[in-house]
Amino acid sequence: MPPVASVGDIVERYGISLPDEVPAFVDGAPRYSDGAHTLTRECPATEEALYALQESAPEVVDEAVRAARLIMDDTPWPRMPHVERKRVLRRIMDVIERHRDELAVLQSLEVGLPLGGVRTMHMARTIENFDFFAEVAGTVGGHAYTQTGTYLTVVTREPAGVVALLSPWNAPLVLTSMKLAASLALGNACVIKASEHSPYSVYRFVEILHEADLPPGLVNLVNGRGPVTGASLVEHQGVDVVGFVGGSKTGAAIMAAAANGVRKVGLELGGKSANMVMASADLEQAIDGSLLAILTGNGQQCLAGSRILVQESIADEFTERFVKRLSQVRVGDPFDAQTEVGAMAFREHFQKVMSYVDTATAEGATLLTGGTAAPGFDRGFFFQPTAVEVGDNRLRVCQEEIFGPFVTIQRVPDADAAIRIANDSAFGLVSYIWSNDLLEVTQMSGAIKAGTVWVNTPLARDLRAPFGGYKQSGVGRDGLESSVELLT
Ligand code: NAD
Protein backbone atom coordinates (compact mmCIF):
# COMPACT_ATOMS: atom_id res chain seq x y z
CA MET A 1 0.00 0.00 0.00
CA PRO A 2 1.74 3.28 -1.05
CA PRO A 3 1.89 5.87 1.75
CA VAL A 4 -0.80 8.54 1.81
CA ALA A 5 0.53 12.01 0.92
CA SER A 6 0.66 14.38 3.89
CA VAL A 7 -1.02 17.78 3.81
CA GLY A 8 2.46 19.35 3.55
CA ASP A 9 3.24 17.17 0.49
CA ILE A 10 0.02 18.25 -1.20
CA VAL A 11 0.56 21.93 -0.45
CA GLU A 12 4.02 21.69 -1.99
CA ARG A 13 3.06 19.43 -4.91
CA TYR A 14 0.20 21.67 -6.10
CA GLY A 15 1.54 25.04 -4.94
CA ILE A 16 -1.56 25.84 -2.89
CA SER A 17 -1.72 27.58 0.46
CA LEU A 18 -3.99 26.94 3.40
CA PRO A 19 -5.05 29.63 5.86
CA ASP A 20 -4.83 29.35 9.65
CA GLU A 21 -8.44 30.43 9.92
CA VAL A 22 -11.34 30.45 7.45
CA PRO A 23 -13.55 33.53 7.92
CA ALA A 24 -16.83 34.59 6.31
CA PHE A 25 -16.90 36.67 3.11
CA VAL A 26 -19.21 39.65 3.29
CA ASP A 27 -19.73 42.65 1.04
CA GLY A 28 -16.83 41.78 -1.22
CA ALA A 29 -14.21 41.12 1.49
CA PRO A 30 -13.12 38.55 4.08
CA ARG A 31 -14.98 39.08 7.34
CA TYR A 32 -12.87 37.95 10.31
CA SER A 33 -14.46 37.85 13.77
CA ASP A 34 -12.43 38.41 16.93
CA GLY A 35 -13.26 35.80 19.52
CA ALA A 36 -15.39 33.71 17.15
CA HIS A 37 -16.19 30.13 18.05
CA THR A 38 -13.80 28.01 15.97
CA LEU A 39 -14.00 24.48 14.63
CA THR A 40 -10.90 22.57 13.61
CA ARG A 41 -11.16 20.78 10.31
CA GLU A 42 -9.00 17.69 9.75
CA CYS A 43 -7.85 16.12 6.50
CA PRO A 44 -9.84 12.88 6.15
CA ALA A 45 -6.97 11.02 4.49
CA THR A 46 -4.32 11.81 7.12
CA GLU A 47 -6.19 13.16 10.17
CA GLU A 48 -3.84 16.19 10.17
CA ALA A 49 -5.33 19.57 11.09
CA LEU A 50 -6.07 21.67 8.00
CA TYR A 51 -7.25 24.97 9.52
CA ALA A 52 -9.70 26.42 12.01
CA LEU A 53 -13.09 27.59 10.84
CA GLN A 54 -14.45 30.81 12.32
CA GLU A 55 -18.13 30.30 12.96
CA SER A 56 -20.26 33.22 11.76
CA ALA A 57 -22.28 34.61 14.64
CA PRO A 58 -25.79 36.02 14.01
CA GLU A 59 -24.40 39.56 13.58
CA VAL A 60 -22.14 38.37 10.74
CA VAL A 61 -25.11 36.62 9.13
CA ASP A 62 -27.07 39.84 9.50
CA GLU A 63 -24.30 41.85 7.78
CA ALA A 64 -24.23 39.35 4.93
CA VAL A 65 -28.00 39.49 4.41
CA ARG A 66 -27.95 43.29 4.58
CA ALA A 67 -25.19 43.43 1.96
CA ALA A 68 -27.25 41.25 -0.37
CA ARG A 69 -30.41 43.24 0.40
CA LEU A 70 -28.63 46.44 -0.57
CA ILE A 71 -27.76 44.96 -3.96
CA MET A 72 -31.41 44.13 -4.57
CA ASP A 73 -32.89 47.35 -3.20
CA ASP A 74 -30.35 50.03 -4.13
CA THR A 75 -28.33 48.98 -7.17
CA PRO A 76 -29.07 48.35 -10.85
CA TRP A 77 -28.21 44.61 -10.51
CA PRO A 78 -31.79 43.24 -10.48
CA ARG A 79 -32.66 45.28 -13.57
CA MET A 80 -29.38 44.76 -15.41
CA PRO A 81 -29.89 43.94 -19.11
CA HIS A 82 -29.62 40.21 -19.64
CA VAL A 83 -26.69 40.53 -22.03
CA GLU A 84 -24.64 42.23 -19.32
CA ARG A 85 -25.65 39.68 -16.73
CA LYS A 86 -24.70 36.95 -19.16
CA ARG A 87 -21.26 38.57 -19.45
CA VAL A 88 -20.89 38.42 -15.67
CA LEU A 89 -21.59 34.67 -15.73
CA ARG A 90 -19.12 34.19 -18.57
CA ARG A 91 -16.43 36.05 -16.60
CA ILE A 92 -17.16 33.80 -13.64
CA MET A 93 -16.62 30.76 -15.88
CA ASP A 94 -13.23 32.14 -16.91
CA VAL A 95 -12.05 32.69 -13.35
CA ILE A 96 -13.17 29.22 -12.29
CA GLU A 97 -11.31 27.76 -15.25
CA ARG A 98 -8.18 29.68 -14.20
CA HIS A 99 -8.43 28.29 -10.65
CA ARG A 100 -9.78 24.89 -11.62
CA ASP A 101 -6.84 22.83 -10.32
CA GLU A 102 -6.55 24.73 -7.05
CA LEU A 103 -10.28 24.36 -6.34
CA ALA A 104 -10.17 20.65 -7.17
CA VAL A 105 -7.19 20.07 -4.86
CA LEU A 106 -8.89 21.91 -2.00
CA GLN A 107 -12.03 19.81 -2.31
CA SER A 108 -10.05 16.56 -2.32
CA LEU A 109 -8.06 17.69 0.72
CA GLU A 110 -11.19 18.67 2.62
CA VAL A 111 -13.51 15.78 1.87
CA GLY A 112 -11.27 12.93 0.66
CA LEU A 113 -12.64 12.55 -2.87
CA PRO A 114 -10.23 11.18 -5.52
CA LEU A 115 -8.68 14.19 -7.23
CA GLY A 116 -9.14 12.86 -10.78
CA GLY A 117 -12.93 12.78 -10.49
CA VAL A 118 -13.11 16.16 -8.80
CA ARG A 119 -10.89 17.79 -11.41
CA THR A 120 -12.84 16.38 -14.32
CA MET A 121 -16.45 15.75 -13.28
CA HIS A 122 -16.97 18.21 -10.43
CA MET A 123 -15.10 21.14 -11.93
CA ALA A 124 -16.59 20.55 -15.38
CA ARG A 125 -20.10 20.57 -13.90
CA THR A 126 -19.34 23.66 -11.82
CA ILE A 127 -18.33 25.54 -14.96
CA GLU A 128 -21.22 24.06 -16.94
CA ASN A 129 -23.69 25.35 -14.35
CA PHE A 130 -22.65 28.93 -15.14
CA ASP A 131 -22.52 28.23 -18.87
CA PHE A 132 -26.03 26.80 -18.84
CA PHE A 133 -27.59 29.56 -16.76
CA ALA A 134 -25.77 32.29 -18.73
CA GLU A 135 -27.91 31.17 -21.67
CA VAL A 136 -31.02 31.00 -19.50
CA ALA A 137 -30.51 34.67 -18.52
CA GLY A 138 -31.52 35.73 -22.01
CA THR A 139 -34.54 33.49 -22.36
CA VAL A 140 -36.64 34.38 -19.36
CA GLY A 141 -39.26 36.95 -20.17
CA GLY A 142 -42.85 37.84 -19.51
CA HIS A 143 -45.90 37.69 -21.70
CA ALA A 144 -49.06 39.65 -22.39
CA TYR A 145 -52.77 38.75 -22.52
CA THR A 146 -54.53 40.70 -25.23
CA GLN A 147 -57.83 38.94 -25.71
CA THR A 148 -60.10 41.34 -23.86
CA GLY A 149 -59.74 44.12 -26.42
CA THR A 150 -60.13 46.93 -23.89
CA TYR A 151 -57.00 46.42 -21.85
CA LEU A 152 -53.72 44.60 -21.87
CA THR A 153 -52.44 42.35 -19.08
CA VAL A 154 -48.66 42.24 -18.92
CA VAL A 155 -46.99 39.46 -16.93
CA THR A 156 -43.37 40.03 -15.93
CA ARG A 157 -40.78 37.82 -14.27
CA GLU A 158 -38.84 39.55 -11.51
CA PRO A 159 -35.93 38.33 -9.39
CA ALA A 160 -37.14 36.77 -6.14
CA GLY A 161 -34.67 38.82 -4.06
CA VAL A 162 -32.11 37.64 -1.51
CA VAL A 163 -31.50 33.92 -1.79
CA ALA A 164 -29.98 31.87 1.04
CA LEU A 165 -28.10 28.89 -0.36
CA LEU A 166 -27.24 26.09 2.04
CA SER A 167 -25.12 23.28 0.70
CA PRO A 168 -23.73 19.94 1.89
CA TRP A 169 -20.14 18.71 1.88
CA ASN A 170 -20.28 15.80 -0.53
CA ALA A 171 -19.82 17.82 -3.74
CA PRO A 172 -19.26 21.33 -2.40
CA LEU A 173 -18.77 23.32 -5.58
CA VAL A 174 -21.09 21.41 -7.90
CA LEU A 175 -23.96 21.86 -5.48
CA THR A 176 -23.20 25.42 -4.39
CA SER A 177 -22.72 26.57 -7.98
CA MET A 178 -25.93 25.01 -9.27
CA LYS A 179 -28.30 27.31 -7.43
CA LEU A 180 -25.80 30.19 -7.32
CA ALA A 181 -25.53 30.26 -11.13
CA ALA A 182 -29.32 30.12 -11.47
CA SER A 183 -29.80 32.83 -8.82
CA LEU A 184 -27.37 35.24 -10.48
CA ALA A 185 -28.65 34.58 -13.99
CA LEU A 186 -32.13 35.50 -12.80
CA GLY A 187 -31.03 38.71 -11.08
CA ASN A 188 -30.90 37.71 -7.40
CA ALA A 189 -28.27 38.32 -4.70
CA CYS A 190 -27.05 35.48 -2.48
CA VAL A 191 -25.81 34.49 0.92
CA ILE A 192 -24.18 31.08 0.85
CA LYS A 193 -23.83 28.91 3.94
CA ALA A 194 -21.18 26.29 3.18
CA SER A 195 -21.08 23.02 5.05
CA GLU A 196 -18.88 23.18 8.13
CA HIS A 197 -17.10 20.13 6.64
CA SER A 198 -16.08 21.79 3.37
CA PRO A 199 -15.80 25.50 4.13
CA TYR A 200 -12.47 26.44 2.62
CA SER A 201 -13.06 25.20 -0.93
CA VAL A 202 -16.31 27.20 -0.94
CA TYR A 203 -14.59 30.20 0.66
CA ARG A 204 -11.88 30.21 -2.03
CA PHE A 205 -14.56 29.77 -4.68
CA VAL A 206 -16.43 32.85 -3.43
CA GLU A 207 -13.18 34.79 -3.13
CA ILE A 208 -12.07 34.03 -6.69
CA LEU A 209 -15.55 34.79 -8.09
CA HIS A 210 -14.79 38.38 -7.16
CA GLU A 211 -11.97 38.40 -9.74
CA ALA A 212 -14.91 38.54 -12.20
CA ASP A 213 -15.73 42.07 -10.99
CA LEU A 214 -18.85 41.16 -9.06
CA PRO A 215 -20.50 44.01 -7.22
CA PRO A 216 -19.54 43.69 -3.51
CA GLY A 217 -22.48 42.17 -1.63
CA LEU A 218 -23.83 40.19 -4.58
CA VAL A 219 -22.35 36.89 -3.35
CA ASN A 220 -21.68 36.55 0.37
CA LEU A 221 -20.59 33.54 2.40
CA VAL A 222 -21.17 32.65 6.04
CA ASN A 223 -19.60 29.67 7.73
CA GLY A 224 -20.33 27.52 10.76
CA ARG A 225 -22.48 24.75 12.16
CA GLY A 226 -25.94 24.19 10.72
CA PRO A 227 -28.04 24.73 13.84
CA VAL A 228 -26.07 27.93 14.62
CA THR A 229 -25.08 29.83 11.47
CA GLY A 230 -27.40 27.95 9.12
CA ALA A 231 -30.40 28.46 11.37
CA SER A 232 -29.75 32.17 11.84
CA LEU A 233 -29.51 32.61 8.06
CA VAL A 234 -32.74 30.75 7.33
CA GLU A 235 -34.58 32.58 10.09
CA HIS A 236 -33.38 36.01 8.89
CA GLN A 237 -36.38 37.96 7.63
CA GLY A 238 -34.24 39.70 4.99
CA VAL A 239 -34.04 36.39 3.10
CA ASP A 240 -36.71 35.87 0.43
CA VAL A 241 -35.93 32.36 -0.80
CA VAL A 242 -34.11 29.41 0.75
CA GLY A 243 -32.40 26.98 -1.61
CA PHE A 244 -31.28 23.99 0.41
CA VAL A 245 -29.36 20.85 -0.49
CA GLY A 246 -28.76 18.41 2.34
CA GLY A 247 -30.31 15.76 4.54
CA SER A 248 -34.06 15.16 4.84
CA LYS A 249 -34.27 15.87 8.59
CA THR A 250 -32.46 19.17 8.11
CA GLY A 251 -34.74 19.92 5.17
CA ALA A 252 -37.79 19.58 7.40
CA ALA A 253 -36.24 22.01 9.93
CA ILE A 254 -35.45 24.47 7.11
CA MET A 255 -39.01 24.27 5.81
CA ALA A 256 -40.37 25.01 9.28
CA ALA A 257 -38.00 27.97 9.72
CA ALA A 258 -38.86 29.37 6.29
CA ALA A 259 -42.55 29.19 7.16
CA ASN A 260 -41.92 32.05 9.57
CA GLY A 261 -42.23 34.91 7.13
CA VAL A 262 -43.74 32.66 4.46
CA ARG A 263 -40.58 32.38 2.37
CA LYS A 264 -40.20 30.13 -0.65
CA VAL A 265 -38.07 26.98 -0.27
CA GLY A 266 -36.47 24.55 -2.66
CA LEU A 267 -35.28 21.35 -0.97
CA GLU A 268 -32.98 18.79 -2.59
CA LEU A 269 -32.69 16.06 0.02
CA GLY A 270 -31.54 12.50 0.64
CA GLY A 271 -32.04 9.25 -1.21
CA LYS A 272 -31.96 5.48 -0.91
CA SER A 273 -32.22 4.62 -4.54
CA ALA A 274 -33.15 1.26 -5.99
CA ASN A 275 -30.88 -0.15 -8.67
CA MET A 276 -32.88 -2.85 -10.50
CA VAL A 277 -31.06 -5.46 -12.56
CA MET A 278 -33.49 -7.49 -14.63
CA ALA A 279 -32.95 -10.82 -16.42
CA SER A 280 -32.77 -9.25 -19.89
CA ALA A 281 -30.01 -6.80 -18.91
CA ASP A 282 -26.58 -6.75 -20.48
CA LEU A 283 -24.87 -8.10 -17.38
CA GLU A 284 -21.45 -6.60 -18.00
CA GLN A 285 -23.00 -3.18 -18.52
CA ALA A 286 -25.21 -3.59 -15.44
CA ILE A 287 -22.23 -4.54 -13.27
CA ASP A 288 -20.13 -1.60 -14.50
CA GLY A 289 -23.05 0.78 -14.02
CA SER A 290 -23.94 -0.59 -10.59
CA LEU A 291 -20.35 -0.09 -9.44
CA LEU A 292 -20.40 3.50 -10.67
CA ALA A 293 -23.79 4.08 -9.04
CA ILE A 294 -22.56 3.08 -5.59
CA LEU A 295 -18.90 4.16 -5.74
CA THR A 296 -18.93 7.55 -7.45
CA GLY A 297 -18.10 10.27 -4.94
CA ASN A 298 -16.94 7.56 -2.47
CA GLY A 299 -20.59 6.47 -2.29
CA GLN A 300 -21.39 9.79 -0.61
CA GLN A 301 -24.03 10.82 -3.10
CA CYS A 302 -27.71 11.57 -2.75
CA LEU A 303 -28.26 9.59 -5.93
CA ALA A 304 -26.21 6.52 -4.96
CA GLY A 305 -27.68 3.27 -6.22
CA SER A 306 -27.51 1.79 -2.75
CA ARG A 307 -30.25 -0.87 -2.96
CA ILE A 308 -29.60 -3.44 -5.68
CA LEU A 309 -32.67 -5.50 -6.58
CA VAL A 310 -31.64 -8.33 -8.87
CA GLN A 311 -33.97 -10.73 -10.65
CA GLU A 312 -33.76 -14.24 -9.21
CA SER A 313 -32.80 -16.01 -12.48
CA ILE A 314 -29.54 -14.02 -12.85
CA ALA A 315 -28.94 -13.28 -9.17
CA ASP A 316 -26.17 -15.85 -8.57
CA GLU A 317 -24.10 -14.76 -11.54
CA PHE A 318 -24.66 -11.03 -11.01
CA THR A 319 -23.87 -11.21 -7.30
CA GLU A 320 -20.71 -13.25 -7.75
CA ARG A 321 -19.31 -10.99 -10.47
CA PHE A 322 -20.39 -7.73 -8.83
CA VAL A 323 -18.99 -8.68 -5.42
CA LYS A 324 -15.70 -9.80 -6.96
CA ARG A 325 -15.30 -6.43 -8.72
CA LEU A 326 -16.31 -4.53 -5.56
CA SER A 327 -13.69 -6.36 -3.53
CA GLN A 328 -11.01 -5.34 -6.06
CA VAL A 329 -11.77 -1.60 -5.90
CA ARG A 330 -8.67 0.43 -5.06
CA VAL A 331 -9.20 2.38 -1.85
CA GLY A 332 -6.58 4.92 -0.84
CA ASP A 333 -4.88 8.27 -1.18
CA PRO A 334 -7.23 10.74 -2.89
CA PHE A 335 -4.17 12.19 -4.64
CA ASP A 336 -3.00 8.89 -6.13
CA ALA A 337 -4.22 8.58 -9.73
CA GLN A 338 -4.88 4.84 -9.20
CA THR A 339 -7.37 5.44 -6.38
CA GLU A 340 -11.03 4.71 -7.07
CA VAL A 341 -12.44 5.34 -3.59
CA GLY A 342 -10.76 7.87 -1.28
CA ALA A 343 -11.42 8.63 2.37
CA MET A 344 -14.82 9.09 4.03
CA ALA A 345 -15.25 12.83 4.48
CA PHE A 346 -14.88 13.19 8.25
CA ARG A 347 -14.43 11.18 11.42
CA GLU A 348 -18.08 11.05 12.60
CA HIS A 349 -19.25 10.16 9.12
CA PHE A 350 -16.68 7.36 8.85
CA GLN A 351 -17.88 6.01 12.20
CA LYS A 352 -21.49 6.26 11.06
CA VAL A 353 -20.82 4.31 7.84
CA MET A 354 -18.85 1.67 9.80
CA SER A 355 -21.67 1.33 12.33
CA TYR A 356 -24.02 0.06 9.62
CA VAL A 357 -21.93 -3.11 9.33
CA ASP A 358 -22.99 -4.15 12.83
CA THR A 359 -26.52 -2.96 12.15
CA ALA A 360 -26.66 -5.15 9.03
CA THR A 361 -25.34 -8.29 10.67
CA ALA A 362 -27.51 -7.80 13.76
CA GLU A 363 -30.52 -7.57 11.45
CA GLY A 364 -29.59 -10.87 9.80
CA ALA A 365 -28.03 -9.56 6.58
CA THR A 366 -25.16 -11.61 5.12
CA LEU A 367 -21.84 -9.85 4.64
CA LEU A 368 -20.60 -10.54 1.09
CA THR A 369 -17.49 -8.32 1.03
CA GLY A 370 -15.91 -5.47 3.00
CA GLY A 371 -17.36 -4.59 6.35
CA THR A 372 -14.19 -3.14 7.89
CA ALA A 373 -11.88 -0.18 7.63
CA ALA A 374 -9.76 -0.61 4.50
CA PRO A 375 -6.65 -2.59 5.46
CA GLY A 376 -3.13 -1.14 5.27
CA PHE A 377 -3.73 2.36 6.64
CA ASP A 378 -2.56 3.48 10.06
CA ARG A 379 -4.59 6.68 9.85
CA GLY A 380 -7.31 8.23 7.72
CA PHE A 381 -10.98 7.38 7.28
CA PHE A 382 -10.70 4.60 4.71
CA PHE A 383 -13.64 2.22 4.46
CA GLN A 384 -13.59 -1.02 2.48
CA PRO A 385 -16.47 -1.04 -0.07
CA THR A 386 -19.15 -3.30 1.37
CA ALA A 387 -22.01 -5.41 0.05
CA VAL A 388 -24.54 -7.28 2.15
CA GLU A 389 -27.28 -9.63 0.99
CA VAL A 390 -30.70 -9.00 2.50
CA GLY A 391 -34.02 -10.80 2.34
CA ASP A 392 -36.21 -8.00 3.63
CA ASN A 393 -36.39 -4.39 2.43
CA ARG A 394 -37.66 -3.24 5.84
CA LEU A 395 -34.18 -3.68 7.39
CA ARG A 396 -32.57 -0.42 8.51
CA VAL A 397 -29.74 -0.89 6.00
CA CYS A 398 -32.35 -0.82 3.24
CA GLN A 399 -34.34 2.09 4.64
CA GLU A 400 -31.70 4.52 5.96
CA GLU A 401 -29.28 6.56 3.90
CA ILE A 402 -25.79 5.25 4.78
CA PHE A 403 -23.99 7.63 2.41
CA GLY A 404 -20.90 5.53 1.75
CA PRO A 405 -19.67 2.68 -0.49
CA PHE A 406 -22.14 0.29 1.14
CA VAL A 407 -24.73 -1.55 -0.95
CA THR A 408 -27.48 -4.03 -0.18
CA ILE A 409 -28.38 -6.80 -2.64
CA GLN A 410 -31.85 -8.34 -2.60
CA ARG A 411 -33.28 -10.99 -4.95
CA VAL A 412 -36.65 -10.32 -6.56
CA PRO A 413 -38.80 -12.75 -8.61
CA ASP A 414 -40.02 -10.25 -11.21
CA ALA A 415 -40.56 -6.63 -12.23
CA ASP A 416 -43.68 -6.24 -10.07
CA ALA A 417 -41.73 -7.17 -6.95
CA ALA A 418 -38.89 -4.86 -7.97
CA ILE A 419 -41.33 -1.95 -8.34
CA ARG A 420 -43.03 -2.68 -5.02
CA ILE A 421 -39.73 -2.87 -3.14
CA ALA A 422 -38.24 0.15 -4.94
CA ASN A 423 -41.25 2.20 -3.83
CA ASP A 424 -41.17 0.86 -0.27
CA SER A 425 -39.00 3.75 0.90
CA ALA A 426 -39.33 7.11 2.59
CA PHE A 427 -37.21 8.52 -0.25
CA GLY A 428 -37.77 8.84 -3.99
CA LEU A 429 -34.87 10.70 -5.57
CA VAL A 430 -33.66 8.52 -8.46
CA SER A 431 -33.69 4.89 -9.53
CA TYR A 432 -31.80 2.75 -12.00
CA ILE A 433 -33.15 0.02 -14.31
CA TRP A 434 -30.95 -2.39 -16.24
CA SER A 435 -33.11 -4.20 -18.80
CA ASN A 436 -33.30 -4.71 -22.56
CA ASP A 437 -37.03 -5.42 -22.53
CA LEU A 438 -38.72 -2.25 -23.75
CA LEU A 439 -42.16 -3.11 -22.39
CA GLU A 440 -40.70 -3.94 -18.99
CA VAL A 441 -38.68 -0.71 -18.95
CA THR A 442 -41.73 1.35 -19.89
CA GLN A 443 -43.90 -0.24 -17.21
CA MET A 444 -41.26 -0.05 -14.50
CA SER A 445 -40.20 3.53 -15.16
CA GLY A 446 -43.83 4.65 -15.12
CA ALA A 447 -44.57 2.91 -11.82
CA ILE A 448 -41.49 3.90 -9.84
CA LYS A 449 -41.91 6.88 -7.54
CA ALA A 450 -38.59 8.61 -8.15
CA GLY A 451 -37.83 12.03 -9.63
CA THR A 452 -35.45 10.50 -12.19
CA VAL A 453 -35.35 6.97 -13.58
CA TRP A 454 -32.13 6.05 -15.37
CA VAL A 455 -32.35 3.20 -17.85
CA ASN A 456 -29.16 1.32 -18.82
CA THR A 457 -27.04 4.24 -17.72
CA PRO A 458 -25.92 5.65 -14.41
CA LEU A 459 -25.77 9.31 -13.41
CA ALA A 460 -26.62 11.03 -16.71
CA ARG A 461 -28.05 14.43 -15.93
CA ASP A 462 -29.39 17.03 -18.35
CA LEU A 463 -29.56 20.48 -16.78
CA ARG A 464 -32.64 21.30 -18.87
CA ALA A 465 -34.64 18.55 -17.20
CA PRO A 466 -36.13 18.86 -13.72
CA PHE A 467 -34.12 17.14 -11.00
CA GLY A 468 -35.56 16.47 -7.58
CA GLY A 469 -37.36 13.95 -5.50
CA TYR A 470 -40.62 12.39 -4.41
CA LYS A 471 -41.45 12.04 -0.70
CA GLN A 472 -38.62 12.87 1.72
CA SER A 473 -36.18 13.43 -1.15
CA GLY A 474 -37.32 16.98 -1.58
CA VAL A 475 -39.67 19.76 -2.51
CA GLY A 476 -39.36 21.52 -5.85
CA ARG A 477 -36.86 20.79 -8.59
CA ASP A 478 -33.59 22.08 -10.03
CA GLY A 479 -33.33 22.47 -13.79
CA LEU A 480 -34.45 24.97 -16.35
CA GLU A 481 -38.12 25.76 -15.67
CA SER A 482 -38.05 24.68 -12.03
CA SER A 483 -35.17 27.03 -11.20
CA VAL A 484 -36.98 29.90 -12.86
CA GLU A 485 -40.09 29.12 -10.78
CA LEU A 486 -38.13 29.15 -7.52
CA LEU A 487 -35.93 32.15 -8.20
CA THR A 488 -38.28 34.66 -9.84
P1 NAD B 1 -26.99 18.33 6.34
O1 NAD B 1 -28.45 18.37 6.20
O2 NAD B 1 -26.42 17.88 7.64
O3 NAD B 1 -26.35 19.75 6.06
C1 NAD B 1 -26.55 20.48 4.86
C2 NAD B 1 -26.33 21.96 5.14
O4 NAD B 1 -27.34 22.42 6.05
C3 NAD B 1 -25.00 22.25 5.82
O5 NAD B 1 -24.51 23.48 5.34
C4 NAD B 1 -25.37 22.34 7.29
O6 NAD B 1 -24.48 23.11 8.04
C5 NAD B 1 -26.74 23.00 7.20
N1 NAD B 1 -27.61 22.74 8.35
C6 NAD B 1 -27.63 21.65 9.16
N2 NAD B 1 -28.60 21.81 10.12
C7 NAD B 1 -29.18 23.00 9.89
C8 NAD B 1 -30.23 23.73 10.53
N3 NAD B 1 -30.88 23.26 11.59
N4 NAD B 1 -30.59 24.93 10.02
C9 NAD B 1 -29.96 25.43 8.94
N5 NAD B 1 -28.95 24.79 8.31
C10 NAD B 1 -28.56 23.59 8.77
O7 NAD B 1 -26.45 17.41 5.15
P2 NAD B 1 -24.98 16.95 4.87
O8 NAD B 1 -24.60 15.86 5.82
O9 NAD B 1 -24.09 18.13 4.76
O10 NAD B 1 -25.13 16.34 3.39
C11 NAD B 1 -25.54 15.05 3.13
C12 NAD B 1 -27.01 15.00 2.73
O11 NAD B 1 -27.25 15.82 1.60
C13 NAD B 1 -27.44 13.61 2.32
O12 NAD B 1 -28.68 13.32 2.89
C14 NAD B 1 -27.57 13.71 0.81
O13 NAD B 1 -28.44 12.79 0.23
C15 NAD B 1 -28.04 15.12 0.65
N6 NAD B 1 -27.79 15.61 -0.71
C16 NAD B 1 -28.86 15.81 -1.55
C17 NAD B 1 -28.64 16.20 -2.87
C18 NAD B 1 -29.78 16.38 -3.84
O14 NAD B 1 -29.58 17.00 -4.89
N7 NAD B 1 -30.96 15.88 -3.55
C19 NAD B 1 -27.33 16.41 -3.32
C20 NAD B 1 -26.28 16.19 -2.43
C21 NAD B 1 -26.52 15.80 -1.13
Side-chain angles (χ1 to χ4, degrees), residues 166-170 175 193-196 224-227 230-231 234 244-247 250 253-254 268-271 302 401 403 429 467:
L166 297 101
S167 54
W169 47 264
N170 63 312
L175 297 168
K193 152 70 181 83
S195 168
E196 56 274 40
R225 288 165 294 177
V234 176
F244 174 76
V245 185
T250 317
I254 301 269
E268 301 291 336
L269 308 178
C302 55
E401 188 180 38
F403 221 54
L429 190 58
F467 182 86

Side-chain angles (χ1 to χ4, degrees), residues 156-229:
T156 58
R157 283 249 172 223
E158 293 167 5
V162 173
V163 184
L165 298 176
L166 297 101
S167 54
W169 47 264
N170 63 312
L173 295 192
V174 171
L175 297 168
T176 303
S177 64
M178 176 81 195
K179 281 197 170 71
L180 176 64
S183 298
L184 298 183
L186 297 167
N188 300 286
C190 298
V191 181
I192 297 167
K193 152 70 181 83
S195 168
E196 56 274 40
H197 302 294
S198 56
Y200 187 56
S201 52
V202 182
Y203 176 86
R204 258 312 269 160
F205 173 68
V206 169
E207 193 172 48
I208 65 133
L209 290 190
H210 287 75
E211 292 175 18
D213 288 334
L214 301 189
L218 179 65
V219 180
N220 307 277
L221 169 73
V222 292
N223 271 318
R225 288 165 294 177
V228 181
T229 311

Side-chain angles (χ1 to χ4, degrees), residues 17-42:
S17 58
L18 294 173
D20 294 333
E21 299 211 326
V22 180
F25 197 93
V26 175
D27 205 14
R31 168 61 164 94
Y32 288 92
S33 306
D34 288 341
H37 177 78
T38 55
L39 307 158
T40 302
R41 177 88 199 113
E42 59 186 347

